[in-house]
């Protein structure tokens, strides 16, 4: 058990929990469309947005964040996270909307903005969000879980319990 705990600490460096509240009603299908400041890959729309439902204004969420301390595969990241690390698609879309809105021009904030990934896991996929400085926009994509490696310094988010 101690060896597992030490292994998890080497993979993830925890950050303080973050509270996010929707300022207005969130409709994932309307929000997650490519436009100025946001590029939405079809895989994200197909794997996440298609399953997400609207959320009312005032809904609050708390999320945990952690930075990857070393390069790690999806399986290693998931193993280092708490057992309740999976987002449902509705919560993921709502939380991500607030986090992106707080950094519309890629400024510093909860989302990592120096070219590394921000990762959020669902039961079926991993969502990657990144600031693309050259294009001045956030990019949101989704991949099947497993098989990908993420760079040290990437940030991982999970629901707080």
């Amino acid at each position: 058990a101690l060896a597992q705990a030490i292994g998890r600490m080497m993979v993830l460096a925890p950050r303080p929990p973050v509270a996010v509240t929707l300022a207005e009603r969130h409709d994932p299908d309307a929000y997650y469309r490519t436009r100025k400041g946001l590029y939405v890959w079809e895989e994200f729309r197909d794997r996440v947005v298609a399953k997400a439902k609207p959320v009312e204004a005032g809904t609050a969420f708390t999320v945990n964040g952690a930075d990857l301390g070393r390069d790690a595969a999806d399986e290693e990241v998931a193993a280092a996270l708490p057992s309740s690390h999976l987002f449902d698609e509705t919560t993921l879309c709502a939380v991500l909307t607030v986090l992106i809105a707080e950094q519309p021009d890629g400024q510093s904030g909860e989302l990592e903005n120096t070219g590394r990934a921000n990762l959020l896991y669902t039961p079926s996929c991993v969502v990657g969000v990144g600031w693309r400085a050259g294009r001045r926009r956030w990019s949101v994509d989704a991949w099947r879980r497993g098989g990908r490696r993420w760079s040290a310094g990437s940030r991982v988010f999970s629901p707080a319990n």
Side-chain angles (χ1 to χ4, degrees):
L2 180 59
Q4 281 182 321
I6 291 171
R8 279 196 297 271
M9 288 189 295
M10 291 173 56
V11 174
L12 296 175
R15 298 172 56 83
V18 178
V20 295
T21 303
L22 285 171
E24 55 191 43
R25 184 175 191 273
H26 173 64
D27 178 352
D29 184 53
Y31 180 86
Y32 286 104
R33 295 188 179 268
T34 296
R35 62 178 177 280
K36 184 178 190 274
L38 182 67
Y39 187 86
V40 181
W41 292 87
E42 281 304 311
E43 291 82 359
F44 179 75
R45 288 193 51 81
D46 293 345
R47 293 183 174 141
V48 180
V49 175
K51 299 176 187 175
K53 297 178 177 27
V55 179
E56 296 308 315
T59 304
F61 304 93
T62 303
V63 295
N64 291 322
D67 292 330
L68 286 183
R70 62 173 173 81
D71 292 358
D74 265 341
E75 297 81 3
E76 294 174 282
V77 175
L81 288 164
S83 60
S84 58
H85 70 275
L86 300 176
F87 282 96
D88 65 76
E89 290 81 358
T90 297
T91 301
L92 185 147
C93 285
V95 165
L96 197 51
T97 296
V98 173
L99 295 177
I100 288 172
E102 291 175 354
Q103 297 172 247
D105 297 312
Q107 55 271 66
S108 293
E110 294 303 327
L111 293 173
E112 206 295 317
N113 66 347
T114 62
R116 292 195 176 72
N118 294 280
L119 307 171
L120 302 94
Y121 288 82
T122 73
S124 64
C125 67
V126 57
V127 171
V129 182
W131 174 249
R132 304 296 174 242
R135 300 209 171 191
R136 307 289 309 152
R137 66 184 182 192
W138 289 100
S139 175
V140 183
D141 203 351
W143 299 271
R144 285 189 183 93
R145 293 180 56 182
R148 292 195 63 100
R149 288 192 65 78
W150 304 103
S151 300
S154 293
R155 193 158 291 160
V156 185
F157 294 92
S158 61
N161 292 345

